[in-house]
């Protein structure tokens, strides 16, 4: 029976291998400290945090997230440890809430490895605090217990660590928040929660267009991660829809407020003892597009969590083997004769047995996910599909924007053949940076610098083409800055098809002109939103979504241009102006930390395979692979030709 704890209450733990699950509703930093009998933490090596997530018997998340699972093996913690304190803190300098009183009360559950809840605690009553000691596991007369603490600190993480006796608490807290900021920059944003109005943001709605009516919320919430329920690291931005005389309406006309219906029962019932046969669209949603979107995200999370369980089991098996060997060899009698060898063999046999069972469970889950992927991939719409999907050969210019766009694939080392589509929501909520520099990946090491730069620009052009293809005619405009003119060959498909808003800007003058025009657009739309004066916008203002491709940054950029680019990266997405940068960070090293916020604000992808992206649930390092164009295919030119023809005829929905 689960013990529902209140502040100060304790409960005996029936086992020593545990999971601590945190649900906060908003991204939080989860960590833990190891303390002695008085609760004193003897140095930073007794603290597990995103920058240093593993300690003996303890593993925490590598990044901020709305949901966490902390692994605890109390038998493996050092003998001097008598207290394990679980800490929660709001991430700083990432634009999120700064006090727990502004968010939902965090919920913490101590569970067994099978998921059975042992004790739970809801941290109510927090206000100005930005960090909190949630609960502690402590040793008492040989037994372990859990106590609900709920002690908040208005001084944040630094004050909480200092209270536990940590020397240099302020410096450590600062380094933790910096590690979290870096982690959030590389994390894939999960599906957004459904807004109270039930609508996603849409920047291309007609200026002053009234919002469509929505139904009141009703029905139960979906259970598998969906666009309505997934944890999120950034909220959907934008003003609420209003009448023609009020703010500009950015509401998506197809999103509804009521809970989506369950998936249709299209699969035949499974035979006893055998898994159900997967079907495409096996998720909640109002349309097949939304069901497929939610299904892809469900596959993404399933793969992340099943791999986390496997890796945790392997780590536990290795840890147990080390402990058994230490205990056996600490006895002098086992150091002579064959006793020591037998102890080593038995410990390794137990390790192998545990890892084999974990691998069997992983292989079973991977096989099920692979079968699901095999039926989902052919059913994906063009916006979600790879370039080699036949759906592109039947492409027609759409009448409305899709929910998301595929920009690559993700996979983990445990099964490199199982690829998960990387879908980013539309409209884009952050810019994209195609890193043309030499990374630490094997693929980058085998590619020369000039080819990396060419591949990076080819990828940027392909992403721009996909964006143009999935938007209705006239609702997406692309601008290009190519100051040195080095990307003429890569840009040829866009230039020759006539889909660009203007010729690529070259030289310092071209850079200044494009940046000034887009900066003016951001300023005017922001002022119109704040003043509720949508009808006062200049008639020459292009209300379509704007994409700026920047090649070879910072060539051709002076200090003013750099400042304008940072402004577009920060303020542009909320009013429909987006960046697609192709750059090597080393080329801009002269600017130092001034550009750090710019790089962190962009989703970094690479022109070759690289394991730099993290999922929002566990924080695995996923290998990103760009979408390749089939050899000899002319699908890109054919799609752009249709986009250009629709633009010339002025066909709009």
């Amino acid at each position: 029976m689960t013990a529902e704890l209140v502040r100060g209450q304790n409960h005996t733990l029936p086992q020593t291998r545990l999971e601590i699950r945190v649900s906060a509703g908003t991204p939080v930093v989860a960590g833990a400290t190891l303390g002695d009998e008085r609760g004193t933490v003897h140095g930073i090596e007794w603290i597990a945090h995103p920058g240093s997530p593993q300690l003996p018997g303890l593993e925490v998340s590598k990044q901020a997230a709305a949901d966490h699972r902390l692994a605890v093996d109390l038998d493996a913690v050092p003998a001097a440890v008598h207290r394990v304190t679980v800490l929660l803190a709001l991430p700083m300098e990432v634009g999120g809430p700064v006090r727990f009183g502004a968010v939902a009360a965090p919920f913490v559950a101590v569970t067994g490895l099978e998921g059975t809840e042992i004790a739970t605690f809801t941290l109510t009553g927090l206000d100005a605090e930005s960090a909190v000691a949630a609960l502690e596991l402590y040793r008492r007369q040989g037994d372990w217990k859990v106590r609900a603490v709920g002690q908040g600190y208005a001084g944040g993480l630094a004050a909480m660590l200092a209270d536990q006796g940590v020397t240099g608490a302020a410096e450590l807290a600062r380094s933790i928040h910096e590690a979290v900021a870096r982690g959030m920059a590389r994390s894939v944003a999960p599906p957004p929660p459904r807004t109270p109005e039930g609508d996603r943001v849409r920047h291309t709605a007609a200026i002053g267009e009234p919002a469509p009516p929505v139904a009141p919320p009703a029905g139960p919430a979906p259970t598998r991660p969906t666009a309505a329920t997934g944890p999120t690291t950034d909220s959907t931005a934008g003003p609420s829809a209003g009448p023609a005389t009020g703010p500009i309406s950015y509401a998506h006309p197809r999103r509804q407020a009521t809970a989506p219906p369950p998936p249709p029962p299209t699969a035949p019932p499974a035979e006893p003892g055998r898994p159900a046969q997967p079907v495409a669209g096996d998720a909640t949603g109002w349309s097949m597009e939304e069901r497929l979107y939610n299904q892809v995200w469900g596959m993404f999370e399933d793969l992340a969590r099943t791999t986390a369980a496997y890796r945790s089991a392997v780590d536990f098996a290795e840890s147990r083997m080390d402990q058994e060997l230490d205990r056996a060899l600490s006895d002098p009698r086992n150091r002579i004769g064959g006793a020591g060898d037998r102890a080593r063999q038995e410990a390794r046999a137990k390790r192998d047995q545990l890892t084999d069972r974990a691998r069997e469970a992983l292989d079973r889950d991977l096989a099920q996910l692979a079968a699901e992927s095999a039926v989902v991939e052919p059913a994906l719409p063009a916006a979600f599909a790879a370039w080699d999907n036949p759906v592109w050969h039947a492409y027609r210019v759409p009448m409305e924007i899709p929910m998301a766009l595929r920009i690559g694939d993700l996979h983990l080392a445990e099964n490199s053949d199982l690829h998960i589509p990387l879908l980013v929501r539309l409209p884009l909520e952050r810019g994209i940076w195609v890193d043309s520099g030499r990374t630490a990946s094997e693929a980058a090491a085998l590619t020369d610098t000039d080819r990396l730069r060419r591949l990076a620009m080819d990828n940027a052009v392909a992403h721009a083409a996909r964006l143009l293809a999935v938007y209705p005619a006239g609702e997406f405009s692309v601008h290009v800055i190519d100051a040195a003119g080095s990307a003429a060959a890569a840009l040829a498909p866009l230039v020759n098809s006539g889909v660009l808003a203007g010729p690529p800007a070259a030289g310092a003058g071209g850079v200044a002109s494009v940046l000034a025009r887009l900066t003016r657009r951001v300023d005017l739309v922001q002022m119109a939103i704040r003043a509720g004066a949508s009808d006062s916008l200049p008639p020459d203002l292009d209300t379509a979504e704007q994409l700026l491709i920047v090649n070879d940054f910072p060539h051709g950029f002076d200090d003013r241009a750099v400042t304008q680019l940072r402004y577009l990266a920060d303020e542009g997405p909320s009013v429909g102006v987006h960046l697609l940068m192709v750059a090597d960070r080393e080329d801009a090293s002269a600017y130092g930390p001034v550009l750090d916020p710019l790089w962190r604000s962009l989703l970094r992808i690479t022109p070759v395979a690289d394991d730099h992206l993290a999922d929002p649930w566990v924080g695995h390092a996923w290998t990103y692979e760009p979408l390749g164009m089939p050899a000899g295919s002319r699908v890109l030119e054919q799609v752009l030709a249709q986009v250009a023809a629709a633009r010339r005829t002025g066909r709009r929905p």
Side-chain angles (χ1 to χ4, degrees):
M1 182 176 179
T2 303
E4 298 180 0
L5 305 181
V6 297
R7 189 175 278 107
Q9 189 177 3
N10 60 46
H11 182 74
T12 301
L13 294 171
Q15 59 198 83
T16 55
R17 284 206 68 203
L18 307 163
E19 264 194 355
I20 298 175
R21 303 184 180 187
V22 178
S23 179
T26 191
V28 297
V29 181
T33 60
L34 304 180
D36 60 15
E37 291 178 323
R38 295 185 300 273
T40 303
V41 179
H42 295 277
I44 61 175
E45 65 275 8
W46 280 29
I47 305 173
H49 57 83
S52 179
Q54 289 184 319
L55 293 178
L58 182 64
E59 183 175 2
V60 304
S61 304
K62 298 178 182 178
Q63 62 187 42
D67 296 283
H68 293 271
R69 293 188 180 187
L70 284 63
V72 181
D73 182 2
L74 295 172
D75 288 337
V77 300
V81 172
H82 288 259
R83 191 177 301 179
V84 179
T85 304
V86 177
L87 315 175
L88 303 179
L90 292 169
M92 299 290 105
E93 301 178 2
V94 295
V98 296
R99 62 186 187 90
F100 275 109
V103 301
F107 174 81
V108 183
V110 180
T111 76
L113 295 184
E114 72 287 352
T116 303
E117 289 186 346
I118 299 170
T120 63
F121 176 41
T122 302
L123 285 77
T124 58
L126 299 175
D127 186 13
E129 299 90 344
S130 59
V132 60
L135 53 78
E136 62 183 17
L137 314 177
Y138 64 98
R139 201 194 308 253
R140 181 65 55 84
Q141 297 178 348
D143 294 327
W144 284 94
K145 297 185 176 183
V146 57
R147 177 186 291 121
V149 180
Q151 175 64 53
Y153 294 83
L157 191 57
M160 180 165 55
L161 293 174
D163 192 40
Q164 297 187 28
V166 178
T167 303
E171 292 77 8
L172 177 59
R174 188 179 308 111
S175 68
I176 292 173
H177 284 305
E178 289 174 354
V180 169
R182 291 192 298 270
M184 293 185 74
R186 61 188 283 268
S187 175
V188 178
R194 193 178 302 275
T195 64
E197 294 79 13
D199 294 319
R200 293 189 302 114
V201 179
R202 185 172 190 251
H203 301 302
T204 55
I207 300 298
E209 177 185 337
V214 296
T223 55
R224 191 172 186 181
T226 69
T229 62
T232 182
T233 57
D234 53 351
S235 61
T236 302
S240 60
T245 57
I248 299 171
S249 169
Y250 289 135
H252 193 296
R254 291 190 298 139
R255 297 287 77 79
Q256 304 183 46
T258 55
T266 55
E271 297 179 13
R274 299 185 62 182
Q277 293 300 310
V279 294
D282 186 18
T284 57
W286 288 103
S287 64
M288 177 57 81
E289 178 199 42
E290 190 168 2
R291 291 198 295 270
L292 287 168
Y293 174 79
N294 291 334
Q295 187 172 14
V296 168
W297 272 97
M299 293 164 57
F300 188 10
E301 182 174 4
D302 288 348
L303 182 54
R305 295 203 185 279
T306 192
T307 304
Y310 167 72
R311 293 179 180 179
S312 177
V314 170
D315 289 343
F316 171 72
E318 294 286 348
S319 174
R320 274 298 170 89
M321 182 186 70
D322 293 341
Q323 293 176 50
E324 291 176 359
L325 289 175
D326 289 342
R327 284 196 296 267
L329 299 179
S330 63
D331 187 345
R333 292 172 297 181
N334 291 335
R335 299 176 187 172
I336 58 176
D341 292 337
R342 285 194 300 272
R344 278 189 286 269
Q345 291 175 0
E346 291 174 0
R348 288 168 181 157
K350 290 180 182 178
R351 185 271 315 272
D352 293 342
Q353 184 181 21
L354 288 173
T355 54
D356 288 346
R357 285 210 308 262
R359 186 70 212 195
E360 288 176 6
L362 175 67
D363 289 342
R364 184 174 60 250
D365 291 341
L366 291 178
Q368 184 69 9
L369 285 169
E372 188 172 9
S373 176
V375 299
V376 168
E377 278 284 355
L380 294 176
F384 300 177
W387 284 115
D388 59 357
N389 192 308
V391 70
W392 283 104
H393 295 289
Y395 168 77
R396 295 292 182 270
V397 177
M399 301 298 288
E400 53 190 11
I401 69 171
M403 294 188 65
L405 180 75
R406 186 173 183 168
I407 62 169
D409 289 338
L410 299 172
H411 71 262
L412 291 171
E414 281 73 8
N415 189 338
S416 59
D417 294 330
L418 178 55
H419 286 205
I420 302 295
L422 174 55
L423 303 179
V424 294
R425 300 190 296 270
L426 293 181
L428 295 172
E429 294 179 351
R430 62 193 294 198
I432 297 174
W433 163 31
V434 185
D435 190 350
S436 60
R438 186 170 297 282
T439 64
S441 72
E442 180 181 355
L446 298 176
T447 309
D448 64 68
T449 302
D450 290 340
R451 177 161 174 76
L452 275 176
R453 293 178 183 270
R454 173 61 191 264
L455 287 174
M457 196 60 199
D458 287 343
N459 272 271
V461 169
H463 293 315
R466 290 177 73 89
L467 283 164
L468 284 164
V470 301
Y471 270 81
E475 289 199 7
F476 200 85
S477 297
V478 177
H479 310 261
V480 176
I481 290 179
D482 184 23
S486 59
L491 289 168
L494 298 178
V495 174
N496 295 341
S497 62
V499 295
L500 294 178
V511 171
S513 175
V514 172
L515 291 176
R517 187 162 63 250
L518 292 177
T519 302
R520 172 179 175 268
R521 184 194 184 281
V522 171
D523 290 339
L524 289 174
V525 176
Q526 282 187 336
M527 287 189 291
I529 292 173
R530 287 194 294 265
S534 57
D535 54 352
S536 65
L537 287 169
D540 63 337
L541 184 78
D542 183 4
T543 60
E545 297 272 316
Q546 309 288 313
L547 177 72
L548 173 60
I549 303 176
V550 179
N551 179 48
D552 209 17
F553 175 81
H555 185 85
F557 282 71
D558 56 18
D559 290 346
R560 175 179 172 80
V562 169
T563 301
Q564 289 177 314
L565 192 69
R566 287 186 54 187
Y567 176 73
L568 291 178
D570 292 339
E571 304 295 334
S574 64
V575 289
V577 177
H578 314 285
L579 288 183
L580 177 52
M581 289 185 57
V582 179
D584 179 356
R585 191 167 182 172
E586 289 299 318
D587 293 344
S589 59
Y591 288 94
V594 172
L595 289 181
D596 285 351
L598 172 64
W599 304 120
R600 285 200 298 265
S601 69
L602 305 173
L603 174 62
R604 174 176 170 258
I605 58 177
T606 50
V608 294
D610 188 86
D611 59 348
H612 66 282
L613 289 177
D615 64 81
W617 304 285
V618 183
H620 292 313
W622 293 72
T623 297
Y624 166 83
E625 290 193 13
L627 296 175
M629 194 69 63
S633 172
R634 294 191 54 82
V635 65
L636 181 66
E637 290 78 5
Q638 294 168 359
V639 167
L640 289 176
Q642 289 200 44
V643 172
R647 289 165 64 95
R648 285 193 299 270
T649 59
R651 181 165 61 88
R652 298 187 63 162

